[in-house]
């Protein structure tokens, strides 16, 4: 494994590559498949000892071209190239299969201190989707680098990685107890998650992981200060 100071790693160890891809598959993290002709969104279906299988149909890609796969996970951007892809069947559907990559570029995201406010705290993100439809989603977690939003119910088809949410308004508590901020952000990952309600039942929801775009240093410091202030207050209340 080679790396530089900017968080970029070149991973060549087979078992490490396997572990990363199996984790991506387990979390149902979307991926982008790029060839010389076009690109499309996909998802890993299985990761075997020597091959990977991902969603696609015969009209999306030629078998004789090199394919680049890009994965935007919460912790890193992952990219690798494969060749000799072939159509096959997996659980009754037509899919693509190729050999396990021999090399993987792994760009680790800068880690930020993150809070997960309790459900009773009214922390919301509101704004408009690109088509003008208004939204208001509960904030599931927050750091100076991005926000996780909770979406209950059926997910709209347009909520896919890469979606831009401009002028999103982050409201951290009633009457702005920890401040309110207006940001531009990009949807990076959509994951299924679960929580326990007040009656002890399991509630399933979707978590939209978004990263802030072109956040100025002053705004980043303000959000970071709000995050630290909340964590400090929360810990004080736990010790009472």
């Amino acid at each position: 494994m080679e790396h530089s100071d900017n968080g970029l790693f070149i991973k060549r160890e087979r078992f490490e590559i396997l572990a990363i891809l199996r984790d991506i598959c387990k979390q149902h993290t979307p991926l982008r498949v790029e060839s010389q002709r076009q690109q499309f969104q996909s998802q890993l279906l299985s990761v075997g000892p020597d091959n990977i299988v991902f969603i696609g149909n015969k009209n999306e890609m030629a078998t004789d071209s090199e394919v680049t796969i890009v994965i935007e996970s919460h912790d890193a951007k992952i990219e690798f190239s494969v060749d000799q892809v072939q159509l096959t069947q997996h659980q009754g559907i037509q899919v693509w299969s190729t050999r396990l990559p021999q090399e993987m570029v792994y760009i680790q995201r800068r880690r930020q201190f993150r809070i997960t406010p309790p459900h009773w705290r009214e922390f919301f993100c509101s704004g408009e989707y690109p088509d003008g439809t208004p939204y208001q989603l509960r904030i599931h977690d927050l750091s100076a680098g991005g926000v996780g939003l909770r979406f209950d119910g059926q997910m709209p088809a347009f909520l896919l990685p890469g979606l831009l949410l401009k002028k999103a308004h982050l409201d951290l508590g009633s009457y702005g107890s920890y401040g309110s901020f207006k940001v531009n952000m990009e949807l990076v990952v959509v994951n299924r998650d679960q929580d326990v309600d007040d009656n002890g039942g399991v509630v399933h929801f979707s978590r939209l992981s978004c990263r802030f775009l072109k956040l100025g240093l002053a705004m980043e410091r303000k959000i970071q200060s709000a995050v630290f202030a909340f964590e400090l207050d929360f810990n004080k209340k736990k010790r009472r």
Side-chain angles (χ1 to χ4, degrees), residues 74 112-123 138-144 146-150 172 178 193-196 205 207 209 226-228 230-232 234-235 238:
H74 182 70
Q112 302 275 4
F113 182 72
R114 182 174 298 271
I115 58 168
T116 302
H119 186 71
W120 56 268
R121 295 307 302 248
E122 296 184 342
F123 287 12
R138 186 176 294 276
I139 293 176
H140 181 267
D141 53 64
L142 175 69
S143 75
V147 63
L149 304 177
R150 173 175 175 147
L172 306 186
Y178 292 97
D193 208 334
Q194 64 184 39
D195 201 354
V196 179
F205 62 93
R207 180 161 48 86
S209 296
V227 168
F228 281 130
F230 172 83
E231 182 69 10
L232 182 62
F234 187 69
N235 288 333
K238 285 196 301 183

Side-chain angles (χ1 to χ4, degrees), residues 66-82:
E66 184 179 73
V67 172
T68 298
I69 294 179
V70 181
I71 305 167
E72 297 275 2
S73 73
H74 182 70
D75 294 325
K77 178 180 180 181
I78 301 163
E79 185 172 327
F80 57 89
S81 296
V82 293

Side-chain angles (χ1 to χ4, degrees), residues 31-35 38-43 54-55 61 67-70:
L31 53 90
R32 185 170 70 252
V33 182
E34 302 176 349
S35 66
Q38 59 185 19
Q39 66 178 35
F40 60 93
Q41 295 292 322
S42 183
Q43 183 176 310
F54 55 93
I55 298 173
M61 188 169 49
V67 172
T68 298
I69 294 179
V70 181

Side-chain angles (χ1 to χ4, degrees), residues 43-60:
Q43 183 176 310
L44 281 174
L45 293 179
S46 72
V47 179
D50 301 302
N51 75 314
I52 61 174
V53 174
F54 55 93
I55 298 173
N57 63 57
K58 63 181 179 181
N59 298 320
E60 289 175 328

Side-chain angles (χ1 to χ4, degrees), residues 76-94:
K77 178 180 180 181
I78 301 163
E79 185 172 327
F80 57 89
S81 296
V82 293
D83 54 13
Q84 297 181 357
V85 293
Q86 58 184 0
L87 281 169
T88 185
Q89 293 288 320
H90 178 80
Q91 297 180 352
I93 62 173
Q94 195 171 58

